Amino acid sequence: MIIGILDLQGDVEEHQLITEKTFKEMNIEGTTKLVNVLEDIKDCDGLIISGGESSTIGMHLKKTGIYEYIKTSGIPILGTCAGLVLLSEKTDQDQPLLGLINASVKRNGFGRQRMSFETDITFNNEEYHGIFIRAPYVDEISGDVEVLSKYDDKIIAVKQNQYMGIAFHPELTEDTLVHKVFLNEVLDYIA
């Protein structure tokens, strides 16, 4: 299994480390690969889009052709923070969106950088410690979108088909729960 990690912004190395730790815990033969241009993604079984500035990431995806590849390939994607915004079909800014999850997302929904926080949440029915940095939240869903987590009555994690978007940063913890859920999705997809 090869998991691509978009190498543009965000905690790229941290996502590599936690994904490799998850491979070991799940006893999966796998590796991570940095993705920056179209050729990089073509042998990947899944993709992680980490945090950063979602409009800049979206423009990069379009410029490199990765955007169209993602839209047509069906590759499973984990989007964290800015990745959640990109996976949604609507947000409160004019920017490129993949539209793979029937959700509307409020960028920086929990406030600016100084309002970042950590808190215990329930993710996928399990206890988890969430780290929120200029975090978005989902303010509307439709169709078969599954809610994986809420905080303060706000939706902070969703899944639709093979796409999972979360508002917090699992790569900044030692807990592999989020990456386990994602790798199980990839295993189902490639089976």
Side-chain angles (χ1 to χ4, degrees), residues 51-177:
E53 210 291 309
S54 59
S55 57
T56 300
I57 297 169
M59 287 186 284
H60 177 76
L61 293 176
K62 283 203 164 210
K63 182 175 117 184
T64 59
I66 296 172
Y67 178 91
E68 281 304 317
Y69 181 84
I70 289 171
K71 296 274 290 180
T72 59
S73 70
I75 186 173
I77 300 172
L78 167 62
T80 64
C81 199
L84 165 63
V85 175
L86 286 161
L87 286 171
S88 70
E89 63 183 3
K90 192 167 121 186
T91 188
D92 52 352
Q93 302 289 320
D94 183 25
Q95 69 173 82
L97 298 171
L98 291 161
L100 298 171
I101 297 178
N102 295 331
S104 172
V105 175
K106 181 160 176 49
R107 288 177 25 151
N108 299 328
F110 288 101
R112 296 185 155 306
Q113 184 79 24
R114 65 183 169 80
M115 300 172 97
S116 300
F117 63 97
E118 297 183 28
T119 190
D120 292 330
I121 58 173
T122 301
F123 174 80
N124 202 38
N125 298 314
E126 293 189 43
E127 292 299 312
Y128 190 82
H129 187 74
I131 299 174
F132 295 77
I133 302 170
R134 286 190 353 227
Y137 65 80
V138 176
D139 56 5
E140 187 179 320
I141 59 172
S142 63
D144 59 350
V145 175
E146 180 183 353
V147 175
L148 299 176
S149 186
K150 284 185 173 185
Y151 172 73
D152 240 7
D153 292 326
K154 292 179 174 62
I155 300 170
I156 56 171
V158 290
K159 179 182 172 304
Q160 185 172 21
N161 303 315
Q162 65 271 29
Y163 310 113
M164 186 167 68
I166 60 176
F168 46 93
H169 290 267
E171 75 279 10
L172 298 179
T173 74
E174 291 297 314
D175 191 331
T176 57
L177 174 61

